[in-house]
Amino acid sequence: MRRWLSIQQAVDHLSALSEEPLTSDDLARLAEDHQLDLYWYRPGQQLHYVDHPHTPTTELSQPLRLCPTIESDWQAIVGVLRQRPAFPAEENDTPLLRDADGNKMRITFDFNGRPEPFSGRWYPQYGELVVKRRDIERLEQRLFQSDEDSDLEPQLLLDVIWELEQLALENGNANDPSRHDLQWLAHTLSDRTQLEPAILDRVLHAAERRHQSHH
């Protein structure tokens, strides 16, 4: 399940990258615009194949993608992201699912475990909706990377960092030049940014190596 995120985990992750806190309503808008796939994970849920009715039922062991093709179903599922429970439009109606091979599937229940005809158990609950981690990672690049950011390639940034290094070291305290090396600079930046000195030290040395390889 490390490849998957619950809706709350996805919201928390994107909120940490955003200047403003996000909510599941923001994910709902993306799903509404078909920019985000939603998956249903209810472990042990029985499933039957729509196109192969004689194939034995199987158990849901990993999340299955909810199909956005039936608009009324999709709107109901998107509503779940907005904390509004979804209920079948027709008796025993369930949303369409697809497995990794493209097979159409729907949930089913044995006689003893069958919910009431219009029960919300026929539809996903908020806590049962998940998204792919890689989809969220792709989404964050699109949401938070401006055109200006995309022009700043890593190698160019290292050149800029190296120039800033030289400015910092050249303008150090002339009475105590031994303090003004990369280690001193990493710790100084760490005090200002709260980043780990070891991380900053690796970045500074990477800039040094890049400069030396070009000169």
Side-chain angles (χ1 to χ4, degrees):
M1 288 298 292
R2 291 196 304 183
R3 298 187 298 118
W4 305 90
L5 293 173
S6 70
I7 294 301
Q8 194 56 53
Q9 286 174 324
V11 167
D12 292 344
H13 175 74
L14 292 174
S15 290
L17 299 175
S18 174
E19 294 180 359
E20 298 179 2
L22 300 179
T23 67
S24 60
D25 192 62
D26 295 290
L27 291 186
R29 282 194 290 273
L30 292 166
E32 217 162 25
D33 295 337
H34 302 290
Q35 297 183 55
L36 181 65
D37 287 333
L38 299 174
Y39 295 76
W40 189 357
Y41 186 55
R42 184 187 287 174
Q45 177 65 59
Q46 294 182 46
L47 302 158
H48 72 87
Y49 291 84
V50 174
D51 296 332
H52 309 286
H54 301 298
T55 302
T57 59
T58 185
E59 280 194 2
L60 194 154
S61 58
Q62 62 180 355
L64 288 184
R65 186 168 70 90
L66 287 149
C67 297
T69 50
I70 303 174
E71 191 62 27
S72 59
D73 279 354
W74 189 244
Q75 286 303 315
I77 293 159
V78 168
V80 174
L81 292 182
R82 295 190 167 106
Q83 310 286 347
R84 296 199 296 263
F87 299 96
E90 302 174 5
E91 187 173 348
N92 300 337
D93 185 28
T94 63
L96 191 64
L97 300 158
R98 283 188 187 273
D99 66 11
D101 298 321
N103 295 308
K104 296 177 183 178
M105 310 182 84
R106 292 188 190 274
I107 68 168
T108 186
F109 296 89
D110 58 31
F111 182 78
N112 293 328
R114 196 174 180 83
E116 294 295 320
F118 292 98
S119 165
R121 284 284 293 164
W122 294 95
Y123 265 70
Q125 313 297 305
Y126 180 84
E128 296 172 346
L129 290 177
V130 298
V131 291
K132 279 188 175 180
R133 186 183 294 271
R134 69 182 183 192
D135 288 349
I136 294 298
E137 289 171 351
R138 278 199 295 264
L139 198 59
E140 73 187 47
Q141 293 173 2
R142 196 162 71 245
L143 291 177
F144 304 121
Q145 187 177 50
S146 66
D147 293 337
E148 291 85 358
D149 291 338
S150 62
D151 292 335
L152 295 176
E153 297 180 358
Q155 301 305 329
L156 175 59
L157 287 174
L158 289 177
D159 284 340
V160 173
I161 290 168
W162 184 84
E163 293 295 344
L164 292 174
E165 281 181 38
Q166 304 316 300
L167 284 173
L169 298 178
E170 289 168 8
N171 288 284
N173 187 345
N175 296 324
D176 191 6
S178 62
R179 287 181 59 236
H180 298 91
D181 54 15
L182 289 188
Q183 186 177 16
W184 168 85
L185 185 55
H187 280 83
T188 302
L189 289 172
S190 175
D191 292 339
R192 290 172 176 265
T193 62
Q194 306 304 311
L195 292 172
E196 289 292 330
I199 294 174
L200 292 164
D201 190 60
R202 286 201 298 271
V203 172
L204 295 174
H205 277 89
E208 288 280 287
R209 287 194 300 272
R210 170 165 171 74
H211 177 76
Q212 291 168 2
S213 67
H214 284 74
H215 296 81

